[in-house]
Amino acid sequence: MASKSLEEFASEGRKLPGAWIDTLPDELYNQVWDALNTDLPIGKIIITRWLHSEGYPDATQGKIAAILTRDRR
């Protein structure tokens, strides 16, 4: 079986889904963004617990960390 190069694979237009954090509604996303980008004493552990309580059981600290590379919505 011939394998494709990375460039060939990427040129086929396959798009991977975005980060999990991008699936959050804007209101929740912005609250998380604000907590991590301001002087609020709220970290990823508390945010993860809060998201669990809001009905997002698959939230993890690692998934939340992705927001640090994004802009506020």
Side-chain angles (χ1 to χ4, degrees):
M1 176 170 96
S3 63
K4 296 178 187 176
S5 71
L6 177 56
E7 186 175 344
E8 291 169 329
F9 181 82
S11 70
E12 290 178 347
R14 295 181 187 195
K15 299 225 179 209
L16 297 175
W20 178 88
I21 197 76
D22 295 330
T23 66
L24 289 178
D26 288 350
E27 181 181 338
L28 296 179
Y29 175 97
N30 286 333
Q31 288 185 59
V32 172
W33 193 96
D34 290 343
L36 293 175
N37 288 284
T38 62
D39 291 334
L40 294 174
I42 302 172
K44 291 180 276 188
I45 293 172
I46 296 298
I47 292 169
T48 301
R49 290 179 185 163
W50 175 67
L51 287 171
H52 290 171
S53 76
E54 292 294 310
Y56 295 90
D58 50 345
T60 65
Q61 292 176 51
K63 290 176 180 178
I64 291 165
I67 205 168
L68 296 171
T69 64
R70 288 162 171 70
D71 292 327
R72 192 176 196 281
R73 292 190 206 155

